[in-house]
Amino acid sequence: MRKIYILAASALMTFGLASCDIDNVENFGELSSGNFPASDVDGEATLAGVYQNLNQTHGTPQQSFLYYACLASDDQLGGGGDNDKLMQAHDLILNNGADMTNQFYVDRYSGINRANMLISALPNTSMSEEIKAQYLGEALFLRAFYYYELSSMYGNVPLRTAAGGETMQQGNIEDIWKQILQDLRDAIEMMPAKKSTSAGHIDKYAAEAMLGRAWLFYTGFFCNGSSIADLTSTNYSPLTSVELLDGTTLTKQDVIAYIDDCVNNSGYSLVPDFRNLWAYTNRLTVEDYDYTKGQGLKWVEDDSADNPESLFAIKFNKFASWSTTIGYANGIALHFGVRGGSTDAKYFPFGYGWGAGPVAPNLVKDWETQEPNDMRREATIKDWLSHPGFQLGGGGDFVQETGYYGKKWSPIMTYNESGGITSCFDYLMYEGNWDTAGGDNFQLNNIHDLVLIRFADVLLMQSELKEDVAGINKVRARAGLDPIAAYSLTALQNERRWELACEGVRWNDLRRWHIAATALAKQENQVVYHAGAEETNAPHNGGYAARYNATAGFQKMPDTQIAIGTVVQNEGWTGSDSEYQAW
């Protein structure tokens, strides 16, 4: 009988713990796939190990697809300091180092293998059928999500759907996407039609939303074929049906029905005030921040409250430490914090970090021109250029500084009882039992959720698929904007850009709409600052459009994976023109 290795982890669903209690996820031993998971509790413990991979990549967030997607898009630049070449390389679609993103590649395959183990074991267990279906659906969702990120990042990666350590070779790139769509469809069909009540757990409706995202990307990006020329063509004629690997066909109408079900029956909804989605409105900070004070705002996640707009989020915990992993803390928040800010009150409430992803001036200009009365712009972007006391170059060697920071994912400071500043509001809101020696720690104490799919996104996907304005206008109404009378792709594209700005979604939107090269080129010659001195965002290695057209946005395959022999190098990454030297 085949043996599987299981992961021991309890699954207590309390705040301060991640999707599951991943404080001690480790190899527990070797049990027979014929009798494990033997109970619902065993299954939950094994599933915890699959979810843990969401946190695992936060140990090195700068190598992740989400990080790359933010910096590579036309709405954010690279940032960081002179030595943070990886940040700038992401922005410029260039390489920095032999194994620039290898840890992400390894981590995601670890998650896929864990999912495969659970998927293969569950059908043969004596667990209750309802729980078995739920856990199997969650494992299928997570496998699909991990492949979504891997293939978005690298393109044609090996497809593994069974547990094991044998070497797998690349196959057909489109088969990966067909497997993603199939896994998500199957997850939808097997999970019960009820909203999850377990913090961090996937439900049927999250799978419907993720299917919409994967469908729109695959059918748009690959509509002309799978060569680099096909993927970078400016022709956009999305596919309307896809034959999956099991021989069945998924159609656009099928996907519309799933998205309609999510909108109408899921129980998820828009948060009435857009600003309440973001941690700067938390109860400890909101009345000390000039932008939010006196307006009756309240962060929707105060004190672990449920966010009705969050369908899929990464949850974090209090156990981040140098002796375990910093991936239990929100690494994206740390990296996107104010460079050089420390706990200086003049930066309040936005916390200290590494200065990644400064907002591109072209986003600000486009937004001001095309939607001048949109309250979401100020709710999303902090304009430090007009802020008293702000000093350009505050981080010393800051590269590609623009004076604009994203607010949504920033670390947030708060005042403490003694009148001083605590670098992470989380430390006071969720006080007690922290695993960080020395108390308040700006690198380890950001534990607020990182929301990956919001209900607003689902409404916009619904409008795009059905080519109507209903979803668009619901999102616009929340922002206090007038409805639009007729659907157009341009209106949809703009609405997605404004609503989802700086949330890592724009990059794959540009690619699937076949407008990436043109959009990226608008970043060139924008005003930026290097160590406080004004200059322009000069083209590197031929410029943004040239690098996109050479690669279709796929990253360099890590050299370690090339050496193993499982993959060949992607196009556009073998010449000297792919190497980033310095700013």
Side-chain angles (χ1 to χ4, degrees):
M1 182 176 291
R2 185 172 62 85
K3 305 280 188 176
I4 62 172
Y5 284 91
I6 67 170
L7 295 162
S10 63
L12 301 174
M13 299 303 152
T14 59
F15 190 85
L17 306 179
S19 317
C20 305
D21 177 2
I22 55 174
D23 180 35
N24 189 30
V25 177
E26 59 185 14
N27 191 325
F28 182 72
E30 190 179 75
L31 294 177
S32 167
S33 60
N35 61 20
F36 186 87
S39 69
D40 295 356
V41 173
D42 290 340
E44 191 170 17
T46 311
L47 183 60
V50 188
Y51 273 104
Q52 190 268 349
N53 195 255
L54 293 170
N55 297 85
Q56 192 169 341
T57 57
H58 279 258
T60 52
Q62 69 275 23
Q63 296 191 32
S64 70
F65 171 69
L66 182 62
Y67 198 96
Y68 173 54
C70 288
L71 274 55
S73 82
D74 60 333
D75 288 347
Q76 293 176 265
L77 302 179
D82 285 330
N83 292 326
D84 295 317
K85 293 181 180 180
L86 177 55
M87 296 181 190
Q88 296 124 44
H90 278 328
D91 170 59
L92 300 165
I93 320 179
L94 294 173
N95 179 58
N96 177 241
D99 265 342
M100 183 168 74
T101 60
N102 186 59
Q103 191 60 52
F104 174 71
Y105 189 104
V106 171
D107 286 345
R108 279 296 180 251
Y109 269 109
S110 173
I112 288 167
N113 201 45
R114 293 179 184 186
N116 285 339
M117 289 180 356
L118 186 56
I119 290 166
S120 64
L122 276 172
N124 301 316
T125 67
S126 58
M127 297 169 61
S128 65
E129 291 304 314
E130 181 180 3
I131 294 296
K132 187 187 300 186
Q134 177 65 32
Y135 288 175
L136 185 55
E138 292 181 62
L140 286 168
F141 175 101
L142 290 167
R143 182 171 73 181
F145 177 73
Y146 296 153
Y147 267 121
Y148 175 91
E149 290 204 325
L150 272 172
S151 194
S152 292
M153 183 84 143
Y154 302 108
N156 193 10
V157 295
L159 178 61
R160 180 190 295 277
T161 57
E166 68 277 8
T167 299
M168 302 289 292
Q169 303 292 326
Q170 288 169 303
N172 183 335
I173 187 174
E174 295 193 41
D175 285 350
I176 301 163
W177 290 93
K178 292 175 181 180
Q179 185 68 52
I180 291 169
L181 295 173
Q182 182 175 305
D183 279 354
L184 291 169
R185 181 207 60 189
D186 291 349
I188 293 165
E189 294 300 325
M190 67 180 55
M191 285 194 283
K194 61 182 181 181
K195 184 178 179 182
S196 173
T197 57
S198 298
H201 272 270
I202 297 306
D203 58 26
K204 172 189 182 78
Y205 306 110
E208 289 175 335
M210 190 65 211
L211 178 64
R213 179 175 289 185
W215 170 269
L216 286 168
F217 182 74
Y218 173 73
T219 58
F221 192 50
F222 290 93
C223 68
N224 304 306
S226 57
S227 71
I228 292 293
D230 295 332
L231 299 175
T232 58
S233 165
T234 57
N235 177 63
Y236 176 59
S237 302
L239 307 173
T240 58
S241 65
V242 177
E243 184 175 346
L244 304 180
L245 297 184
D246 65 357
T248 62
T249 298
L250 185 67
T251 70
K252 180 179 179 180
Q253 289 305 312
D254 294 331
V255 178
I256 288 173
Y258 289 132
I259 292 295
D260 282 347
D261 182 53
C262 184
V263 170
N264 298 328
N265 302 314
S266 68
Y268 292 95
S269 61
L270 293 178
V271 170
D273 193 307
F274 181 81
R275 295 167 294 183
N276 286 337
L277 285 164
W278 316 114
Y280 58 76
T281 58
N282 79 81
R283 63 173 173 79
L284 298 172
T285 303
V286 64
E287 292 305 316
D288 292 312
Y289 177 24
D290 289 342
Y291 172 67
T292 58
K293 67 186 299 183
Q295 299 184 56
L297 297 175
K298 179 179 172 57
W299 184 41
V300 72
E301 295 181 28
D302 266 349
D303 302 303
S304 308
D306 180 61
N307 180 349
E309 193 163 334
S310 174
L311 283 95
F312 177 38
I314 302 175
K315 303 188 78 67
F316 302 93
N317 64 44
K318 299 179 181 180
F319 299 110
S321 71
W322 308 119
S323 62
T324 54
T325 175
I326 59 173
Y328 297 164
N330 186 338
I332 292 290
L334 171 64
H335 275 255
F336 286 17
V338 177
R339 188 172 181 84
S342 189
T343 54
D344 192 326
K346 70 185 177 187
Y347 297 101
F348 189 89
F350 300 103
Y352 182 38
W354 306 148
V359 175
N362 45 287
L363 169 60
V364 179
K365 294 173 185 175
D366 289 350
W367 208 337
E368 289 175 341
T369 300
Q370 297 178 46
E371 203 68 78
N373 299 318
D374 192 343
M375 57 80 67
R376 293 172 296 186
R377 186 174 65 255
E378 191 174 359
T380 299
I381 301 169
K382 175 62 181 177
D383 177 2
W384 285 110
L385 294 175
S386 60
H387 188 78
F390 179 75
Q391 181 182 358
L392 287 163
D397 60 349
F398 200 172
V399 174
Q400 288 182 298
E401 185 175 18
T402 65
Y404 300 114
Y405 268 91
K407 292 183 177 183
K408 291 178 173 178
W409 289 354
S410 175
I412 302 299
M413 299 188 287
T414 193
Y415 288 105
N416 53 45
E417 291 182 355
S418 64
I421 288 179
T422 297
S423 66
C424 300
F425 80 93
D426 321 57
Y427 185 71
L428 295 184
M429 181 170 285
Y430 310 111
E431 60 185 337
N433 301 317
W434 285 85
D435 199 33
T436 51
D440 179 36
N441 187 308
F442 78 94
Q443 296 188 68
L444 301 176
N445 291 359
N446 292 297
I447 64 170
H448 48 287
D449 288 3
L450 182 61
V451 179
L452 301 181
I453 303 180
R454 292 195 284 116
F455 189 69
D457 191 355
V458 180
L459 289 172
L460 294 175
M461 288 192 282
Q462 184 185 49
S463 273
E464 186 170 4
L465 288 162
K466 300 173 80 168
E467 298 184 46
D468 67 20
V469 297
I472 293 175
N473 284 338
K474 289 175 185 176
V475 172
R476 289 178 63 82
R478 197 251 301 268
L481 297 172
D482 293 335
I484 59 174
Y487 176 86
S488 71
L489 179 59
T490 298
L492 181 280
Q493 289 171 337
N494 285 337
E495 205 61 44
R496 286 187 65 82
R497 190 182 188 192
W498 315 142
E499 175 66 27
L500 303 171
C502 304
E503 295 182 52
V505 177
R506 174 75 170 168
W507 176 236
N508 268 3
D509 278 354
L510 293 175
R511 298 168 78 193
R512 67 183 178 85
W513 290 325
H514 292 264
I515 60 172
T518 299
L520 294 174
K522 293 179 181 179
Q523 298 172 109
E524 294 176 1
N525 300 317
Q526 297 288 322
V527 174
V528 295
Y529 301 87
H530 183 195
E534 181 177 329
E535 56 184 32
T536 59
N537 196 41
H540 282 64
N541 301 43
Y544 288 100
R547 286 301 301 153
Y548 181 80
N549 286 330
T551 63
F554 293 129
Q555 262 286 357
K556 179 184 178 182
M557 287 285 189
D559 287 9
T560 293
Q561 307 308 321
I562 301 291
I564 292 171
T566 57
V567 295
V568 298
Q569 190 53 266
N570 284 328
E571 291 185 51
W573 292 102
T574 56
S576 59
D577 59 343
S578 68
E579 295 296 322
Y580 177 61
Q581 302 300 325
W583 187 253

